Amino acid sequence: VQLQASGGGLVQAGGSLRLSCAASGSIFSINFMGWYRQAPGKQRELVAAIASGGSTNYLDSVKGRFTISRDNAKNTVYLQMNSLKPEDTAVYYCNAGGNTNWRGPFDVWGQGTQVTVSS
């Protein structure tokens, strides 16, 4: 199973970006999908996650600004980021976990996409 992330870039403070992450491979089911970020010199942190049933979880600092959603038919997760702040600058990674058709469970990471917010 592989994840392909896209949508990062440079934006001014107050702007918006939408990240996408598509899972491909021998997927039977995806239990959760999420976005993490890692800023220089800081630990990777969970930004938002969504379970197969649709329940969501957000980092406190992004609540009300970011929205995570998923398209189960496309095995794709999205992160809509509004009202971006310079402190949102980081490399964003998608993560997904579930079950394959023949090889048991999986827990995989995407390649990371840079988000830079200028002040």
Side-chain angles (χ1 to χ4, degrees):
V1 178
Q2 295 181 326
L3 298 179
Q4 181 66 47
S6 61
L10 173 64
V11 65
Q12 289 188 335
S16 298
L17 284 174
R18 189 190 192 210
L19 305 183
S20 300
C21 179
S24 62
S26 183
I27 299 170
F28 176 74
S29 63
I30 299 179
N31 298 328
F32 68 88
M33 302 185 84
W35 290 95
Y36 288 72
R37 68 186 182 189
Q38 187 166 19
K42 295 187 177 181
Q43 290 188 332
R44 188 174 296 189
E45 61 183 357
L46 175 65
V47 177
I50 185 167
S52 57
S55 60
T56 58
N57 185 38
Y58 292 94
L59 181 69
D60 283 346
S61 62
V62 307
K63 287 180 180 177
R65 300 188 297 121
F66 291 11
T67 302
I68 190 170
S69 61
R70 62 189 284 177
D71 184 332
N72 291 329
K74 296 182 179 180
N75 290 331
T76 299
V77 63
Y78 306 96
L79 185 67
Q80 178 66 44
M81 304 184 293
N82 299 328
S83 302
L84 282 161
K85 304 176 180 180
E87 51 263 43
D88 294 319
T89 295
V91 178
Y92 284 69
Y93 299 90
C94 59
N95 172 240
N99 293 284
T100 64
N101 287 317
W102 308 110
R103 297 185 178 181
F106 68 88
D107 187 341
V108 294
W109 292 84
Q111 80 279 18
T113 184
Q114 177 70 47
V115 171
T116 303
V117 184
S118 63
S119 58

